[in-house]
Amino acid sequence: MSALLRIERTSPLHSLQDYGRVGYSRFGLCQAGALDRFSMDWANRLLGNPAGQAVLELSGGGFVAVFSARQSFAVTGAYAPMTLNERSLLPWRSYTAEAGERLLIRGPSAGNHVYLSVAGGFVAPATLGSVATSLRDGLGGVHGDGRALMAGDVLVLAAQVVPDQAVPRSGLPNYRLPLSLRVHPSYQADEVDWSGVLSAPYRVSKNTSRMGVRLAEGPVIRAPAMEFSEPIALGAVQVPPDGQPIVLMNDRQSLGGYPKIGCVWVDDLYQLAQRRPGDWVSFVRESATTPRSF
């Protein structure tokens, strides 16, 4: 049995995402996928969905949708006011909607991206093994054409109901705290004066997107010039001519010619994705043998 989720209001920043297309950068395609995989994984875990099940990434709020049948769903990520038929909801929990109930998610008070999952998952055509929306490449999404959600879209659901659950309070992220980004140094790192890089924080710039998080108002990084382009990994820290770093995210280009001082640990990237323009972040230089803490 299937159900429907009818989209009444949405924005160009709302899309269907999973883990993305891994292994296709050599063809010039971007990875796409959820920017905050920690929140995405919890959204699925609350419902008993398999890891990597597609979710809706709702950036900036302004989302309204109606369930056609009884359906369990979960909301994680940014902290945003939400209602289900005028009943207030809390994030980082799962709920059960009845047929005809309307879900409204407003703009977040902390964080950037809300993740909405449904029990059993969304039904969408996969391209190159993924339904992740890539606007640049015209791949993935609800209809497989790479566009963002639009009012009037109808998403097919599995129509499953599971017991309601909540993430323990001790496990909830705090997006208001200053963030330290652990960086694995690159082969160019020894030519950079790290004492200046680590001595002061940077602000997240308003010129930030799914392609990369631009940082500003921090120490100017003097990195060696490059004479060629090379592949770019997720989390790479590029240094453009103005010396203010850019942390490359899921929709990054496959090749780049700016020098790279290192790569941010992936679990720190999920926190970075939730930081808003004006928030403070800093860099911590780590070795490849430093043990992780989750």
Side-chain angles (χ1 to χ4, degrees):
M1 179 180 177
S2 63
L4 303 175
L5 183 67
R6 301 182 186 278
I7 308 299
E8 292 189 348
R9 189 195 314 165
T10 186
S11 90
L13 299 178
H14 297 171
S15 61
L16 186 70
Q17 300 290 348
D18 55 19
Y19 282 169
R21 295 175 186 83
V22 178
Y24 294 95
S25 292
R26 65 186 184 275
F27 301 116
L29 300 178
C30 72
Q31 175 182 335
L35 292 172
D36 179 3
R37 188 161 143 179
F38 175 81
S39 294
M40 171 190 168
D41 283 347
W42 263 115
N44 280 318
R45 183 176 177 180
L46 285 169
L47 299 171
N49 289 344
Q53 184 78 58
V55 300
L56 294 184
E57 182 177 84
L58 309 174
S59 307
F63 178 81
V64 180
V66 178
F67 292 92
S68 73
R70 197 161 188 256
Q71 173 73 48
S72 292
F73 67 95
V75 184
T76 62
Y79 297 90
M82 297 177 289
T83 58
L84 182 66
N85 263 27
E86 307 304 324
R87 175 168 62 100
S88 295
L89 305 181
L90 294 175
W92 296 90
R93 293 172 178 260
S94 63
Y95 299 90
T96 299
E98 301 298 332
E101 288 195 316
R102 177 176 283 100
L103 175 66
L104 183 152
I105 301 177
R106 302 185 186 277
S109 59
N112 286 320
H113 313 288
V114 171
Y115 291 88
L116 172 63
S117 61
V118 294
F122 296 99
V123 178
T127 306
L128 300 177
S130 170
V131 302
T133 303
S134 172
L135 299 177
R136 189 190 75 185
D137 298 329
L139 297 175
V142 177
H143 301 292
D145 54 4
R147 66 167 174 80
L149 290 181
M150 294 179 60
D153 279 346
V154 177
L155 284 70
V156 179
L157 319 177
Q160 291 186 12
V161 176
V162 298
D164 293 349
Q165 297 192 72
V167 177
R169 291 183 62 85
S170 60
L172 299 181
N174 186 341
Y175 302 134
R176 299 186 186 277
L177 295 176
L179 176 63
S180 293
L181 301 173
R182 292 166 290 181
V183 178
H184 290 303
S186 74
Y187 69 91
Q188 296 169 314
D190 290 339
E191 301 181 58
V192 174
D193 182 2
W194 281 86
S195 61
V197 177
L198 304 177
S199 64
Y202 293 83
R203 281 192 186 273
V204 175
S205 167
K206 64 180 180 181
N207 297 318
T208 287
S209 67
R210 283 184 51 88
M211 184 175 179
V213 176
R214 289 180 175 269
L215 303 179
E217 300 182 35
V220 173
I221 300 176
R222 304 297 181 188
M226 293 184 61
E227 299 179 356
F228 55 88
S229 293
E230 61 184 10
I232 300 177
L234 178 65
V237 183
Q238 279 192 331
V239 182
D242 66 2
Q244 299 296 284
I246 305 170
V247 182
L248 277 299
M249 304 296 280
N250 297 55
D251 287 4
R252 67 196 180 279
Q253 70 276 26
S254 57
L255 296 173
Y258 289 149
K260 293 172 287 296
I261 64 171
C263 201
V264 173
W265 283 22
V266 68
D267 39 318
D268 291 349
L269 287 181
Y270 309 149
Q271 283 276 343
L272 178 61
Q274 295 288 7
R275 292 312 195 266
R276 306 169 77 154
D279 287 347
W280 291 105
V281 302
S282 59
F283 292 110
V284 177
R285 181 169 175 167
E286 300 283 0
S287 72
T289 58
T290 303
R292 287 191 179 192
S293 60
F294 292 91

